[in-house]
Amino acid sequence: MKGEMISPEHLALIITATFIGTLSRLLSIKQDYRQYPSYPNGYLIHSVLGAVASALGAFIIPAIMTKNFIAVTFLTLAIQQFREVRKTERGSLNSLENTEFTFRGDAYIDGIAKTFESRNYFSLITSFSAALAMEILKQKMWIEVVVGAAVGLIVYYLISRFTKGKQVIDIADVKEGRIEFKGNNLYVDGIFVSNLIGMENPKKMFEEEGLAAVIYPKEEHYRITLDNFGQRQAILFDVTRELGVKRYSFTRKDYEQGRIVIALIPIIKNKQKLLDTIKNAPLLENAKKSHAVMKTKMLGGN
């Protein structure tokens, strides 16, 4: 109706739900050892997108209550825009591949892009939950605000727990590797790594400054994940991003026991940081296999 204004109750609902949704997006932006995003512009972009997603989630309930169903259809446009976020992130990271010490790899980039898309749904679902709780409660305004905020934060906690990915430490043990040379060939704990270190100076650098780690799968079926090239490349990328590379970086696998070797000559020689970075490296979604599900399928015959 022309001239109709939004009610104070709905205005409080929209503001509260939008604020809680935006807060959930801010809480999900983490500058960790991967250092992405790590600059003000990155924070700003994702904060604004989170606020837009939160506003959309907050407007759903008032739109339905006022029978403004056309407004609800804008959700489809919003979801399309969130999908564009994934494409933009993927394109941005791909364009930076040649500037890094080692490649992230397509699998890692795809995982990061999906994560940034899904975080906008965090905001939308959280704000919608807060708005729905406030609409159902129908109490004094301050009580609705408090309950709506609490419900929104609980929903954010549950979603973040549900979508939290696993790390290498969950499926493998990581130990320092012993670097040795047999002729001109580089070995780590008896695992062949490279024959490209033929000259005396590189051999001396590896012996004096090189670091190596060996990843041991905790169970046999975890080899499927660790042997994945995209997973190994992601681990190597995290290591080189954390320690830098003065010269040479390798990832190799032991075909007999399933061990994975990471070896490099870093800028920062810190053995503990090397081990911690590998342990905290994320398991990529397209590399993970559920042994329990696969076993169930096999037993079921389908």
Side-chain angles (χ1 to χ4, degrees):
M1 183 182 296
K2 186 176 180 180
E4 184 178 356
M5 297 182 64
I6 190 168
S7 66
E9 292 79 10
H10 282 163
L11 182 61
L13 181 151
I14 291 170
I15 293 175
T16 302
T18 301
F19 174 78
I20 295 301
T22 304
L23 178 62
S24 71
R25 183 65 186 98
L26 293 174
L27 292 174
S28 67
I29 298 179
K30 298 178 181 178
Q31 182 178 346
D32 58 10
Y33 61 93
R34 283 167 286 184
Q35 299 179 10
Y36 187 83
S38 59
Y39 296 98
N41 288 334
Y43 285 123
L44 179 62
I45 290 170
H46 293 294
S47 298
V48 170
L49 285 172
V52 171
S54 302
L56 287 169
F59 270 99
I60 293 175
I61 298 299
I64 293 175
M65 297 304 296
T66 57
K67 298 182 179 181
N68 187 2
F69 300 112
I70 296 177
V72 180
T73 62
F74 279 100
L75 281 173
T76 58
L77 297 176
I79 292 174
Q80 183 61 38
Q81 290 303 311
F82 296 158
R83 292 180 66 86
E84 289 296 323
V85 170
R86 186 200 303 186
K87 294 180 182 178
T88 301
E89 289 296 334
R90 183 185 290 115
S92 177
L93 293 174
N94 273 319
S95 67
L96 295 174
E97 281 285 77
N98 291 326
T99 68
E100 302 289 353
F101 290 114
T102 61
F103 293 152
R104 281 186 178 88
D106 293 335
Y108 201 0
I109 289 175
D110 184 67
I112 294 174
K114 285 180 179 177
T115 298
F116 278 107
E117 178 188 2
S118 68
R119 295 287 168 80
N120 291 309
Y121 298 124
F122 273 31
S123 298
L124 191 150
I125 295 172
T126 300
S127 64
F128 172 76
S129 301
L132 182 61
M134 293 177 68
E135 183 64 31
I136 293 174
L137 191 60
K138 288 295 184 180
Q139 294 291 328
K140 293 181 179 180
M141 187 176 296
W142 71 268
I143 297 178
E144 289 184 7
V145 170
V146 172
V147 173
V151 169
L153 292 176
I154 291 172
V155 169
Y156 162 72
Y157 173 77
L158 294 176
I159 295 176
S160 61
R161 291 280 295 179
F162 175 74
T163 59
K164 184 179 180 181
K166 290 188 176 182
Q167 299 169 307
V168 170
I169 189 61
D170 294 317
I171 68 168
D173 296 315
V174 184
K175 301 179 181 179
E176 182 183 353
R178 178 172 53 87
I179 295 174
E180 60 180 338
F181 283 91
K182 297 178 181 179
N184 291 327
N185 297 330
L186 171 64
Y187 287 79
V188 174
D189 281 10
I191 304 170
F192 173 77
V193 175
S194 177
N195 59 2
L196 302 178
I197 321 292
M199 300 180 66
E200 193 62 32
N201 187 48
K203 288 176 60 177
K204 184 178 180 182
M205 287 183 65
F206 241 110
E207 290 172 341
E208 294 179 353
E209 304 179 52
L211 288 179
V214 182
I215 306 170
Y216 298 81
K218 292 181 178 179
E219 296 183 29
E220 184 70 14
H221 62 270
Y222 289 145
R223 291 180 57 177
I224 299 174
T225 299
L226 294 174
D227 279 5
N228 182 277
F229 178 75
Q231 182 64 63
R232 291 188 288 121
Q233 186 64 35
I235 295 171
L236 183 64
F237 173 82
D238 279 356
V239 168
T240 57
R241 171 60 74 90
E242 180 67 28
L243 301 178
V245 178
K246 184 177 291 187
R247 191 173 184 183
Y248 301 116
S249 59
F250 301 103
T251 173
R252 295 289 185 267
K253 60 181 179 180
D254 172 24
Y255 293 94
E256 294 183 1
Q257 301 180 35
R259 296 175 295 173
I260 303 298
V261 170
I262 301 293
L264 73 161
I265 301 176
I267 294 174
I268 301 173
K269 187 176 181 180
N270 188 318
K271 297 177 182 178
Q272 190 58 49
K273 186 171 288 188
L274 168 67
L275 300 178
D276 290 341
T277 301
I278 295 174
K279 291 175 182 177
N280 292 324
L283 295 181
L284 305 184
E285 288 187 359
N286 60 359
K288 288 189 295 184
K289 302 294 180 183
S290 174
H291 181 64
V293 172
M294 292 174 67
K295 186 176 180 180
T296 302
K297 289 286 186 181
M298 292 174 65
L299 291 175
N302 294 323

